[in-house]
């Protein structure tokens, strides 16, 4: 996409980020809540990440009209077993109306360059196997490897969104 910019997220991007999540529509609960209830915790997360830039990087992709069309968050994790750092990518979302124009790749490439700059050993993320991004090989095309021997475990404190 011409004039695509990647920049640090700002607290006033929270509403656009909430709208992107609703457009993607993975959660009926999120889509039926007032927008403010979705965006308010996002605003707090942006603030948290921006206060601790050594620990977190939250970035947005912005189009030629200054509209936020996608976002990504990465957490820089000190990893004793690696004797190094792992970047855990927790969000990769692009508005369906802007999809297929390079924003998602640009966000991931930014994270890959930032991890290298920080001297990280590796990046890690989860990708739903039933999602189009997995089926279309979004991460594999960018050189990521699917780990055949690793199971992904989670422990929930509350009901997941989707
Ligand atoms: C996956 C996602 C981030 C891709 O962003 P994007 O801006 O559409 O991607 P790009 O334009 O950079 O396209 C790069 C590759 O992504 C894939 N892609 C393109 N459109 C896609 C779509 N609508 N859905 C999934 N993958 C798509 C293609 O493989 C494409 O490669 P190609 O150019 O060789 O055909 C975006 O579709 C999205 O937010 N999906 C919903 C959330 C999600 O699944 N996130 C990732 C898992 S956590």
């Amino acid at each position: 996409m011409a004039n695509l910019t990647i920049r640090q997220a700002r607290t006033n991007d929270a509403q656009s980020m909430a709208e992107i999540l609703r457009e993607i529509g993975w959660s009926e609960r999120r889509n039926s809540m007032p927008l403010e209830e979705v965006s308010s915790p996002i605003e707090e997360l942006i603030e948290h990440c921006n206060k601790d830039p050594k620990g977190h990087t939250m970035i947005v992709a912005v189009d030629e009209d200054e509209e936020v069309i996608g976002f990504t968050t990465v957490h820089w994790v000190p990893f004793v077993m690696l004797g190094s750092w792992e970047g855990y990518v927790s969000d990769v979302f692009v508005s369906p109306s802007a999809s297929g124009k390079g924003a998602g790749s640009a966000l991931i490439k930014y994270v890959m360059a930032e991890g290298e700059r920080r001297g990280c050993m590796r990046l890690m993320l989860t990708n739903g196997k039933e999602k189009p991004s997995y089926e279309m090989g979004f991460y594999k095309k960018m050189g990521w490897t699917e780990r055949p021997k690793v199971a992904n475990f989670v422990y929930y404190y509350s009901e997941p969104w989707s």
Side-chain angles (χ1 to χ4, degrees), residues 129-143:
K129 288 192 172 181
E130 80 293 0
K131 302 292 185 207
S133 49
Y134 181 80
E135 285 160 0
M136 293 169 86
F138 177 65
Y139 296 107
K140 276 191 184 165
K141 277 184 199 167
M142 278 184 286

Side-chain angles (χ1 to χ4, degrees), residues 24 26 91-95 98-106 126-128 131-133 136-139 141:
I24 290 170
W26 283 358
D91 299 290
V92 184
F93 290 104
V94 170
S95 161
S99 189
K101 296 177 185 168
S105 310
T126 62
N127 188 197
K131 302 292 185 207
S133 49
M136 293 169 86
F138 177 65
Y139 296 107
K141 277 184 199 167

